[in-house]
Amino acid sequence: MVKHSVLIGACLMLLACSNATQPNLYQRLGAEDGINAMVDGLLYEIEHDQRIVHHFADSDIGRFHAKLAEQLCQLTGGPCHYSGSTMQESHTGFNISLADYDALVEGLIKVMQRQQISITDQNALLALLAPMYKDISYR
Amino acid sequence: MKTWFFAIALLSVSGAASAGSKIIATGGVTTIEGNAGGGIVPWAVINGYASSNEWSATAFTGRVAINNFTLQSTGVGISLDNTWEFSYARQHFALKTIGGSLSQDIFSIKYHLTGELLYSALPQISLGVQHKRNRDFTLPAAVGAQRATGTDVYLAASKLLFNQVAGRNVLLNGTLRATKANQTGLLGFGSASDKHYQFLFEGSAAIFVNYNLAFGIEFKQKPDNLAFAAEQHWRDVFVAWFINKNVSLTGAYVDLGNIAAQGSQTGYYLAMEATW
């Protein structure tokens, strides 16, 4: 058993080394299609979440979709350049609370689970998004 | 115990009972002293799932079974705004081999000072106070305890680090406690020779396999005030299963060292928590 594990481990290590270009998070999330599906899913969650849907009442959903997809693409190492306003600018006046932020993160987790994104990739994305709280909340 | 189990089973299948907005597991579980934390260490997290402008209620029961003793701990708590935590716990400590029992009530308040467990670079930091009252001081007095009541004050810092070990999230917690308690207060507070507060360290580390399941370790430094028997540090290895936002189960292997001159006390800890 141990021998087998060592052998499998060695093979995996060889594979890892031979594969010079490891897929980055953007690719692991399914690149453009994957990100778009994730944003679609998140919009669905927002639409059905009474806690936060009111914040989006006056939003241009098409623009929101495009900018969020672009931002996620850039953030995860994809070939995009986020062209929207800063997080502080775009959330000023909304007074996004901790509960709102929690609700959105919970929505995102639901979407990632539904899209069967691995737990390690989910955590990698959450690690990138969680620190945005200080720029988004209570403005 | 049976009704408890039934109520929790009902909650876990229904999943319909309302819970707050916090992300699952971020309220921790409830310690044997009634505070949000691990099993023996209070964390900076606030119990339950109340985020900003929300409230939540928790109830828990836990049992430690070690070689010569059992500890049953049961309590309730209310949390507000992810900022305040108010809790009450009653502990009953049965001396299986010596005979007799010890019991105390613990009234606690925790205030979340700063930081957010998930979202800020700064750890979440909270200040807690536990007021403990022995329900029968006869035995603690007989072994040299000075007082039947005592107040512990602790400062806790907790941080969840995403994507740390094998892509999993890791929770780290450090707690500094000022206490006079003998065996957490079950044997009263202070002694003729040790009347003053001592500062002690407690720590926990846990890894989340997924959103619902965490494995961890805990360490709790203890004072040694009573002359009749040496008191030793506590440690445990635990698994916490957050079935949903309404129910969690915790199991642990505990090593509580020597207690009341009875040799090495090891055994298990099992606890259930319900949250609304």
Side-chain angles (χ1 to χ4, degrees):
Chain A
M1 187 65 185
V2 172
K3 261 186 190 166
H4 268 119
S5 308
V6 170
L7 198 65
I8 292 167
C11 291
L12 284 173
M13 268 157 60
L14 278 174
L15 272 173
C17 295
S18 64
N19 188 356
T21 50
Q22 291 275 313
N24 64 15
L25 183 57
Y26 173 73
Q27 289 155 333
R28 298 201 305 273
L29 293 176
E32 193 177 348
D33 289 348
I35 301 272
N36 277 328
M38 197 181 294
V39 175
D40 286 342
L42 191 60
L43 281 169
Y44 176 88
E45 290 300 326
I46 291 167
E47 196 186 328
H48 293 85
D49 192 334
Q50 292 309 312
R51 295 172 297 181
I52 52 173
V53 66
H54 62 277
H55 284 304
F56 296 83
D58 299 325
S59 301
D60 175 343
I61 297 302
R63 184 185 142 83
F64 178 83
H65 190 296
K67 292 299 163 199
L68 182 56
E70 200 175 75
Q71 189 182 23
L72 289 176
C73 168
Q74 180 179 351
L75 204 60
T76 56
C80 311
H81 180 72
Y82 176 60
S83 60
S85 36
T86 67
M87 286 296 97
Q88 290 102 314
E89 282 165 3
S90 56
H91 293 88
T92 298
F94 285 92
N95 198 25
I96 303 294
S97 68
L98 176 66
D100 294 333
Y101 203 78
D102 279 334
L104 192 68
V105 170
E106 197 168 74
L108 177 65
I109 291 171
K110 265 190 206 168
V111 173
M112 293 191 294
Q113 293 280 72
R114 208 158 51 218
Q115 295 188 1
Q116 303 193 332
I117 291 166
S118 73
I119 189 74
T120 59
D121 290 341
Q122 291 189 35
N123 292 340
L125 184 59
L126 290 173
L128 296 172
L129 298 176
M132 290 184 176
Y133 175 74
K134 70 173 190 302
D135 293 333
I136 290 174
S137 62
Y138 299 103
R139 293 189 178 272
Chain B
M1 195 79 178
K2 261 184 188 165
T3 36
W4 253 98
F5 192 77
F6 182 70
I8 283 178
L10 203 67
L11 268 173
S12 62
V13 291
S14 77
S18 71
S21 296
K22 280 165 63 177
I23 308 301
I24 192 159
T26 58
V29 295
T30 303
T31 70
I32 53 171
E33 295 176 317
N35 319 115
I40 56 174
V41 178
W43 297 348
V45 302
I46 300 296
N47 221 336
Y49 291 101
S51 191
S52 55
N53 284 311
E54 297 176 345
W55 65 276
S56 76
T58 52
F60 85 101
T61 188
R63 186 178 183 81
V64 182
I66 44 183
N67 304 13
N68 300 103
F69 309 97
T70 58
L71 172 67
Q72 185 73 40
S73 186
T74 302
V76 290
I78 295 274
S79 301
L80 306 172
D81 200 28
N82 193 33
T83 303
W84 291 97
E85 175 187 304
F86 304 91
S87 61
Y88 165 75
R90 173 165 291 184
Q91 295 182 331
H92 184 85
F93 189 78
L95 292 67
K96 288 190 294 189
T97 42
I98 307 169
S101 69
L102 301 163
S103 181
Q104 70 173 343
D105 289 327
I106 306 174
F107 302 88
S108 307
I109 299 177
K110 188 192 290 183
Y111 177 67
H112 171 183
L113 292 166
T114 185
E116 291 296 340
L117 180 72
L118 304 180
Y119 305 137
S120 64
L122 187 77
Q124 178 160 335
I125 298 173
S126 296
L127 185 67
V129 177
Q130 301 170 333
H131 181 66
K132 302 177 174 182
R133 306 183 72 86
N134 284 175
R135 300 186 68 236
D136 182 350
F137 191 53
T138 316
L139 190 52
V143 298
Q146 193 193 24
R147 295 180 65 91
T149 64
T151 302
D152 285 8
V153 180
Y154 64 87
L155 189 69
S158 307
K159 181 79 190 110
L160 186 99
L161 302 163
F162 291 100
N163 195 19
Q164 291 297 308
V165 178
R168 298 313 198 276
N169 301 338
V170 167
L171 183 134
L172 297 178
N173 180 84
T175 300
L176 187 67
R177 181 194 296 256
T179 184
K180 296 181 183 180
N182 309 320
Q183 294 294 3
T184 74
L186 287 161
L187 282 176
F189 303 84
S191 68
S193 57
D194 287 295
K195 296 174 183 154
H196 303 292
Y197 273 104
Q198 291 178 49
F199 288 94
L200 301 170
F201 175 78
E202 302 173 9
S204 312
I207 181 164
F208 281 85
V209 177
N210 55 38
Y211 296 103
N212 304 86
L213 191 64
F215 292 89
I217 52 172
E218 290 187 295
F219 170 80
K220 179 184 173 74
Q221 194 183 12
K222 307 270 298 309
D224 188 12
N225 298 330
L226 298 175
F228 91 105
E231 181 169 342
Q232 297 184 321
H233 307 323
W234 286 1
R235 42 183 71 81
D236 71 66
V237 182
F238 69 85
V239 52
W241 179 27
F242 300 88
I243 298 171
N244 54 37
K245 279 200 194 177
N246 295 120
V247 185
S248 73
L249 300 177
T250 306
Y253 172 78
V254 302
D255 177 357
L256 307 187
N258 295 347
I259 295 179
Q262 305 292 302
S264 175
Q265 298 296 319
T266 57
Y268 70 86
Y269 171 61
L270 279 178
M272 326 184 247
E273 177 179 333
T275 307
W276 295 270

